[in-house]
Amino acid sequence: MRPLDEAETTAVFEKLFKFVGNNLKHLVDRPSHEGPDPTPGRYCFRLHKNRVFYVSDALVRRATNISRDRLLSLGTSVGKFTHGGKFHLTVHALDLLAAHARHKVWLKPTSEMSFLYGNHVLKSGLARITDNVSAGDGVVVFSMSDLPLGFGIASKSTQDCRKLDPNAIVVLNQVDVGLYVRKEDDL
Amino acid sequence: MGKKNQKIPIPPQLPPEIADDEVEVSDEDFEFVESNQDYAGFLKKLDTKSITRHVVRVAGQNEDALETLYEQRNKKMSSQKLAEEDGLKAVDPVDVLPFKTLDGKLYYRAASADSRRSENMPKEGDAASEDEDDGKDKDIVKLTKAERRRKLKKSKREAKKQAKDLDKMDSLQEDTVPETLQSEVLAEVKEELSAEEVFVKKKCKLAEIGMALLADPESNIKSLKDLLQICKDGDRNIVKLGLLSLLAIFKDIIPGYRIRLPTEKELEMTVSKAVQKMRYYESTLLHSYKAYLQKLISLEKQPFFQHVAVRCMCNLLEAVPHFNFRESLLANVIKNISSPDDVMRKLCCAALKSLFADEGKHGGEVTVEAVKLISDHVKVYDCQLHPDCIEVLLSLSFDEDLGRASSLKEEKLTHKKKKRRQSDREINQLKDNDKKKGKQELLAKTREEVNADLKATSFAPDLEERRTMQSQTLSALFQTYFRIVKQAMDPAITRPYVNTRSVSGGFGRHPLLSPCLKGLGQFSHLIDLDFMSDIMSVLKKLAASNGDAVSSESSLTVSERLQCCIVAFKVMRNNLDALNVDLHEFFIQLYNLLLEWRPDREDQGEVLAEALKIMLCEGRQHDMQRAAAFIKRLASFSLCYGSAEALAALVTLKHLLQKNVKCRNLLENDAGGGSLSGSIAKYQPDSSDPNLSGALASVLWELSLLFKHYHPAVSSIASSISNMSTAHNQPTVKEKRQLVR
């Protein structure tokens, strides 16, 4: 377990910025109330076995008690670095992203299932979308009852969505909560 | 020569002006005359009288005098002839001595005069014959007859005019003559003739002329000019009265069509008496109307006449927007639309509003012109005008079904035609009946003809035309709006503040923005989808332009920013049947504006109430977090402002609670929000983003305070809100409060 180096930090932050935008500040500045300390601590990112974790200070200090090879996980897993050195967000980061998301998409109840099986979001399944999403932005997908279902990349801007064919893809599925069932072993 | 004559329908009118020696008679002419001796006989049969009249008339300067002279002479001669025939031999004293010829016949002086006259004739006849040697005496006579008729008409008219003038002169003289007579005797009296009496007299005259004109405009049209003359009077009050009475007259007598003056070609053509009269009437009307307008425009610059002139112009524009010269009328009215003078501005605005309201009067053309002119006006003054001039545009109306209906019809038509054609083909293939085909073609042809006829006879303006006009108006309208919005956005404009204040009359930096936003909201359904993203981004910037302490002067007021939010929502709502877009950024703005809003604003909370209604009540769904944040903020907001605003806030709050069942956790007395509070565990009242405020972790203690509000309505609604149960068994805020007691 170690802090991220410069290159890794930029990679992680760039990825997160895609989804949360300026809320990244809130993500980092967020006070943590974990542990017995009366003064709230901060959250930080830690790398452990190619995985990036979002952990509070208090937890990091306590985790040092466990030897590196025995430590499996701490805090919230956010993503992992591939062998090529790229950073990928994993499904565990969903709650974090959903709380701070800049661009959101709400699905119609009928198309929720399709999305949870790993399919992309079609125009016909779109119930609501935040304003000024542009193509390539990261969006978080919600059900109509504000339950985060996953996240992905917008393939069309909000403006283009209006004139779009009902069968056109609006959001490319990157991660959905169905992964917990489908890839139970790999997670 | 003959050809020449045929070419010119009217024979040369000025032979006598050519001196005899100047007339060159070519050899050819002589030859021609000699070779055509038979035709030359007409020379003897020339209608000398008509020729002389014809000839002499042209030469004369005073036609009427000459003519009357001739008429008198003719009369005299005829009477003499009669006398001769009767054998009465009554002679003039001048002709006392008759001639006696060798064969004993008596020739009277008159006869000799006659003969003397006829002596002159051949000479003139020659002159005439030089030109008209083609034996067309009939033609000449005919033409002269026509001319005589015309001349007669003219003389009659002139006589009438003279008579009228005389009458007027008489009436004038009736006033003046006795005075002059008495003046020698009663000089002092005349001096004492006060200005008031003159004024009254002039007034009476105005009234007389006006009444006469209104009673019979056709025959009295000439007196318009007299009225115009009166308007040049030295007395200012008389001028005012004259202008107003002219206004009344014009409003009454201007026809329901646009006058087109006849072209020269048309003037040349001979027309019936009625047409001639009509033409005269119309041209007089038009000329005096033009003179009147010029007078108005020139008087408008003088401060004394400003109001009257503007009132006249506005009235005219309202009453006769279809008539000639409406462009200059419109231009002048629009020039005054943002005048600092309240009365003039109101007048102009009212005129334009009525213009927009009933387009049937002018078929919509004036609307297009007016909107374009206003657009130019705004451009020239760089948006530093009175808000009224943009508010006028709110009364525009657009027919939305115009485009849709016709396009649908066309589609249907083509569809039907296709079907019919197909079925026709089938039928034809089946039966191979040529006769039937021919019949059908004939039917179609006649149907088309009938349709064309119907179109020609029905006066309804063409759909296509109306649509183009409407789109022109719309483009001008939105051009104006966008210009204003853009100007408001531009922070680089550092105009001297004093100057703007004087122009816009104390309406802040962006006097036009608020009516412009209103208009955008009203016509939002007509905005093209392509503009939409631009508009939204601009509105976002405007709404977010919260005043930094440094540039507080250039920032918008709270109500203007609220309006931006409202407009954005309206635009979205009206254009998005298919897609539901979440305007998160505007919610953030509203969330923050609630804090900045001050109760002492002039809009009395109307804008705020509207914003709450449109953004929070009418929206379909909200995030739970966001709804909770708004609920919390509205509750604290209603604590510190007046009862009206508090009531609005509470109604919205209740609505939000009803829609978002989970938010009713706020009514529980258990702070922290439990599992719902999400990632933010603690309520942060100073957060600028509703999603990050963590309001779900808080409790609506404000309601228990509001329960004790002095206003009964507020306290009752607060209690009703706190009674909303979450279907839990836990005690609600109210119960808890009772327990505390």
Side-chain angles (χ1 to χ4, degrees):
Chain A
M1 186 184 62
R2 62 168 176 86
L4 308 177
D5 65 24
E6 192 129 329
E8 285 161 351
T9 312
T10 42
V12 171
F13 277 12
E14 267 177 12
K15 198 64 131 186
L16 284 174
F17 184 79
K18 244 185 177 179
F19 284 88
V20 297
N22 289 329
N23 290 342
L24 191 59
K25 192 180 64 186
H26 298 293
L27 210 73
V28 178
D29 288 346
R30 194 174 143 212
S32 78
H33 297 284
E34 289 172 23
D37 309 342
T39 51
R42 293 254 172 260
Y43 281 94
C44 57
F45 290 94
R46 285 288 179 272
L47 185 76
H48 181 68
K49 289 179 183 168
N50 269 345
R51 286 187 174 268
V52 177
F53 293 96
Y54 180 67
V55 217
S56 67
D57 295 347
L59 205 57
V60 169
R61 261 182 274 127
R62 281 164 183 76
T64 49
N65 292 327
I66 302 168
S67 66
R68 190 181 283 188
D69 53 336
R70 300 226 168 184
L71 182 65
L72 193 66
S73 164
L74 76 161
T76 314
S77 166
V78 175
K80 61 183 176 187
F81 280 98
T82 61
H83 291 299
K86 282 183 183 167
F87 178 67
H88 282 181
L89 288 169
T90 54
V91 67
H92 313 99
L94 181 59
D95 276 340
L96 198 64
L97 294 183
H100 297 91
R102 190 169 49 146
H103 304 304
K104 296 180 184 177
V105 161
W106 287 262
L107 291 188
K108 283 177 187 163
T110 48
S111 61
E112 273 174 25
M113 202 54 124
S114 160
F115 179 72
L116 291 182
Y117 280 127
N119 296 320
H120 301 307
V121 178
L122 305 183
K123 165 80 189 303
S124 57
L126 200 66
R128 198 147 58 112
I129 185 170
T130 32
D131 190 26
N132 69 344
V133 174
S134 49
D137 279 346
V139 288
V140 179
V141 181
F142 288 84
S143 74
M144 281 313 275
S145 52
D146 272 334
L147 201 72
L149 296 179
F151 53 86
I153 299 293
S155 64
K156 292 283 187 311
S157 70
T158 309
Q159 291 299 319
D160 294 337
C161 279
R162 288 196 184 117
K163 302 164 195 163
L164 220 53
D165 181 68
N167 284 325
I169 293 171
V170 176
V171 179
L172 299 165
N173 183 334
Q174 281 187 334
V175 160
D176 60 87
V177 288
L179 282 175
Y180 283 117
V181 180
R182 275 181 277 143
K183 293 192 173 180
E184 211 180 345
D185 299 335
D186 297 350
L187 295 171
Chain B
M1 252 328 188
K3 270 184 191 168
K4 201 173 162 192
N5 264 339
Q6 279 163 357
K7 264 185 201 166
I8 307 163
I10 300 169
Q13 298 182 353
L14 303 168
E17 274 186 353
I18 308 162
D20 278 29
D21 46 358
E22 276 174 41
V23 178
E24 289 178 5
V25 185
S26 66
D27 296 338
E28 280 177 338
D29 291 347
F30 277 122
E31 273 175 35
F32 185 82
V33 173
E34 268 164 32
S35 60
N36 296 300
Q37 280 288 352
D38 299 343
Y39 300 116
F42 82 93
L43 280 175
K44 296 163 194 166
K45 295 182 251 169
L46 272 177
D47 187 351
T48 48
K49 264 188 207 167
S50 68
I51 288 176
T52 38
R53 175 167 304 156
H54 170 69
V55 160
V56 173
R57 172 189 62 83
V58 192
Q61 297 83 4
N62 192 346
E63 295 173 0
D64 296 324
L66 261 180
E67 200 153 88
T68 44
L69 201 97
Y70 273 126
E71 271 166 11
Q72 280 172 355
R73 243 191 239 170
N74 274 352
K75 249 183 237 168
K76 211 187 270 174
M77 278 189 314
S78 59
S79 63
Q80 274 174 359
K81 267 181 197 164
L82 276 175
E84 276 175 352
E85 277 165 20
D86 288 348
L88 281 171
K89 301 191 179 174
V91 275
D92 277 345
V94 190
D95 307 320
V96 190
L97 295 174
F99 293 111
K100 196 177 182 182
T101 50
L102 284 172
D103 36 358
K105 274 186 184 171
L106 280 173
Y107 277 96
Y108 286 96
R109 186 78 179 165
S112 72
D114 197 8
S115 66
R116 212 194 301 151
R117 245 164 51 83
S118 57
E119 268 171 39
N120 288 337
M121 280 297 303
K123 205 165 68 183
E124 289 157 354
D126 274 354
S129 67
E130 307 295 347
D131 291 311
E132 295 128 17
D133 51 354
D134 210 359
K136 293 217 166 183
D137 61 337
K138 270 187 187 171
D139 196 27
I140 293 167
V141 174
K142 220 192 282 172
L143 278 166
T144 42
K145 256 185 198 164
E147 275 193 0
R148 205 191 310 160
R149 212 183 300 142
R150 201 178 297 164
K151 207 169 43 182
L152 259 175
K153 221 185 282 168
K154 207 191 254 173
S155 67
K156 253 188 223 165
R157 210 185 295 141
E158 253 152 71
K160 218 188 267 174
K161 218 190 294 167
Q162 276 174 347
K164 216 190 281 169
D165 284 355
L166 268 176
D167 280 351
K168 257 178 236 156
M169 287 289 283
D170 282 350
S171 60
L172 274 178
Q173 273 165 358
E174 275 171 8
D175 297 338
T176 53
V177 164
E179 278 172 31
T180 48
L181 284 174
Q182 290 163 347
S183 62
E184 294 155 12
V185 195
L186 301 164
E188 314 97 46
V189 181
K190 193 190 169 190
E191 277 167 27
E192 279 168 18
L193 191 67
S194 61
E196 252 177 59
E197 275 176 54
V198 176
F199 183 62
V200 168
K201 231 173 253 170
K202 280 175 179 170
K203 249 168 50 178
C204 287
K205 197 182 156 203
L206 261 179
E208 271 171 29
I209 299 178
M211 289 306 288
L213 252 171
L214 286 183
D216 188 5
E218 299 255 338
S219 52
N220 291 328
I221 193 72
K222 207 70 189 163
S223 39
L224 272 179
K225 283 179 181 163
D226 301 321
L227 278 179
L228 275 173
Q229 207 62 41
I230 290 174
C231 288
K232 287 172 191 156
D233 197 287
D235 192 341
R236 290 171 146 193
N237 288 323
I238 280 293
V239 175
K240 263 189 183 179
L241 289 175
L243 289 176
L244 286 173
S245 50
L246 266 172
L247 167 71
I249 290 164
F250 275 124
K251 261 169 98 174
D252 201 65
I253 64 171
I254 279 178
Y257 53 88
R258 209 169 179 176
I259 290 178
R260 182 184 61 92
L261 284 179
T263 59
E264 275 185 29
K265 215 175 186 180
E266 283 171 332
L267 275 175
E268 274 174 15
M269 282 193 281
T270 50
V271 288
S272 69
K273 220 173 184 178
V275 173
Q276 193 94 29
K277 203 175 161 194
M278 198 63 204
R279 271 187 189 170
Y280 174 73
Y281 171 74
E282 285 184 345
S283 69
T284 320
L285 180 61
L286 200 56
H287 282 131
S288 37
Y289 186 62
K290 192 178 173 188
Y292 178 57
L293 284 188
Q294 280 166 346
K295 184 91 191 155
L296 280 181
I297 290 167
S298 66
L299 281 181
E300 188 225 310
K301 281 158 197 139
Q302 301 176 22
F304 183 80
F305 294 113
Q306 245 177 11
H307 283 219
V308 182
V310 170
R311 184 183 295 273
C312 288
M313 286 197 278
C314 288
N315 267 319
L316 278 178
L317 191 64
E318 266 179 70
V320 288
H322 60 275
F323 200 59
N324 305 36
F325 308 118
R326 62 172 181 210
E327 293 88 358
S328 55
L329 206 56
L330 200 59
N332 271 287
V333 167
I334 283 176
K335 210 172 67 193
N336 283 318
I337 204 172
S338 60
S339 96
D341 191 332
D342 274 342
V343 181
M344 277 161 64
R345 194 179 59 238
K346 288 267 151 60
L347 273 173
C348 292
C349 288
L352 279 177
K353 272 179 191 164
S354 81
L355 204 63
F356 293 151
D358 41 277
E359 289 192 331
K361 259 185 188 173
H362 48 79
E365 290 158 39
V366 182
T367 313
V368 182
E369 280 170 35
V371 176
K372 276 183 184 165
L373 280 172
I374 290 177
S375 172
D376 290 344
H377 195 60
V378 169
K379 188 180 174 187
V380 167
Y381 284 90
D382 207 7
C383 306
Q384 298 300 323
L385 292 167
H386 195 278
D388 275 1
C389 70
I390 294 302
E391 245 161 42
V392 165
L393 294 174
L394 285 179
S395 46
L396 278 171
S397 62
F398 295 98
D399 191 357
E400 291 161 55
D401 300 331
L402 217 61
R404 217 179 299 151
S406 63
S407 63
L408 269 178
K409 229 185 258 170
E410 270 168 31
E411 246 172 53
K412 266 186 197 166
L413 265 179
T414 49
H415 207 65
K416 266 186 192 168
K417 264 184 191 167
K418 262 186 198 166
K419 264 190 182 172
R420 198 187 290 157
R421 228 172 268 158
Q422 277 178 351
S423 59
D424 282 358
R425 216 173 285 156
E426 282 165 17
I427 290 166
N428 285 342
Q429 278 172 352
L430 280 173
K431 297 185 177 175
D432 228 6
N433 198 340
D434 282 348
K435 245 188 198 173
K436 200 159 193 179
K437 199 178 167 189
K439 213 176 188 182
Q440 273 168 351
E441 271 176 12
L442 198 78
L443 253 176
K445 219 183 230 174
T446 44
R447 198 168 292 146
E448 264 173 34
E449 275 173 22
V450 167
N451 277 342
D453 280 355
L454 188 70
K455 220 176 208 177
T457 45
S458 65
F459 286 101
D462 193 17
L463 253 183
E464 194 69 34
E465 218 169 88
R466 273 180 63 193
R467 212 178 312 157
T468 50
M469 271 197 293
Q470 192 159 310
S471 60
Q472 276 178 353
T473 318
L474 262 182
S475 70
L477 179 75
F478 282 123
Q479 199 186 338
T480 317
Y481 282 159
F482 293 162
R483 173 167 289 125
I484 295 164
V485 171
K486 219 169 141 194
Q487 194 264 354
M489 257 232 321
D490 199 353
I493 298 171
T494 47
R495 216 173 279 96
Y497 194 48
V498 187
N499 189 16
T500 57
R501 176 131 275 184
S502 69
V503 173
S504 54
F507 283 92
R509 292 282 293 182
H510 310 291
L512 296 185
L513 190 63
S514 124
C516 159
L517 288 174
K518 245 186 239 167
L520 271 179
Q522 186 174 331
F523 301 118
S524 59
H525 56 291
L526 298 163
I527 301 175
D528 193 6
L529 266 183
D530 298 337
F531 289 133
M532 202 103 97
S533 56
D534 295 340
I535 287 186
M536 295 311 280
S537 64
V538 167
L539 284 175
K540 207 172 288 165
K541 268 185 205 164
L542 278 179
S545 67
N546 50 344
D548 313 325
V550 186
S551 63
S552 64
E553 226 172 50
S554 70
S555 76
L556 308 178
T557 64
V558 174
S559 75
E560 275 170 337
R561 284 162 62 193
L562 276 177
Q563 271 185 335
C564 285
C565 295
I566 294 169
V567 168
F569 268 78
K570 276 187 179 166
V571 168
M572 276 297 162
R573 192 186 56 195
N574 286 329
N575 282 296
L576 299 176
D577 309 326
L579 197 59
N580 190 351
V581 170
D582 187 52
L583 295 169
H584 182 61
E585 311 221 356
F586 288 99
F587 279 116
I588 295 178
Q589 290 307 324
L590 179 67
Y591 190 68
N592 294 320
L593 280 170
L594 280 180
L595 285 183
E596 284 181 43
W597 199 83
R598 298 283 171 275
D600 58 338
R601 307 215 67 83
E602 59 209 28
D603 52 38
Q604 302 291 340
E606 283 161 17
V607 179
L608 179 80
E610 199 187 350
L612 288 178
K613 187 180 152 215
I614 285 184
M615 294 176 73
L616 294 175
C617 291
E618 290 180 2
R620 282 175 217 162
Q621 319 89 359
H622 298 286
D623 293 350
M624 195 173 50
Q625 288 282 347
R626 191 201 288 158
F630 269 107
I631 286 170
K632 185 71 184 165
R633 184 150 282 189
L634 282 174
S636 23
F637 167 81
S638 51
L639 274 179
C640 45
Y641 292 141
S643 51
E645 292 92 2
L647 212 54
L650 283 176
V651 167
T652 316
L653 193 158
K654 193 176 177 184
H655 194 85
L656 281 174
L657 274 180
Q658 274 169 347
K659 274 207 300 198
N660 299 279
V661 182
K662 279 182 187 168
C663 287
R664 290 189 201 164
N665 271 13
L666 288 171
L667 297 173
E668 308 289 341
N669 62 353
D670 176 21
S675 61
L676 284 170
S677 62
S679 58
I680 298 118
K682 206 175 155 194
Y683 175 54
Q684 290 158 356
D686 56 345
S687 164
S688 63
D689 189 336
N691 279 345
L692 299 174
S693 67
L696 269 178
S698 66
V699 179
L700 280 178
W701 291 116
E702 288 91 348
L703 287 176
S704 60
L705 277 174
L706 284 169
F707 187 67
K708 292 176 192 158
H709 199 277
Y710 66 89
H711 199 284
V714 173
S715 85
S716 73
I717 200 170
S719 74
S720 81
I721 289 170
S722 56
N723 273 335
M724 262 193 229
S725 82
T726 49
H728 287 287
N729 289 330
Q730 292 170 346
T732 61
V733 173
K734 193 187 172 193
E735 285 161 13
K736 174 84 179 170
R737 195 183 58 236
Q738 281 168 346
L739 282 178
V740 167
R741 262 187 213 161

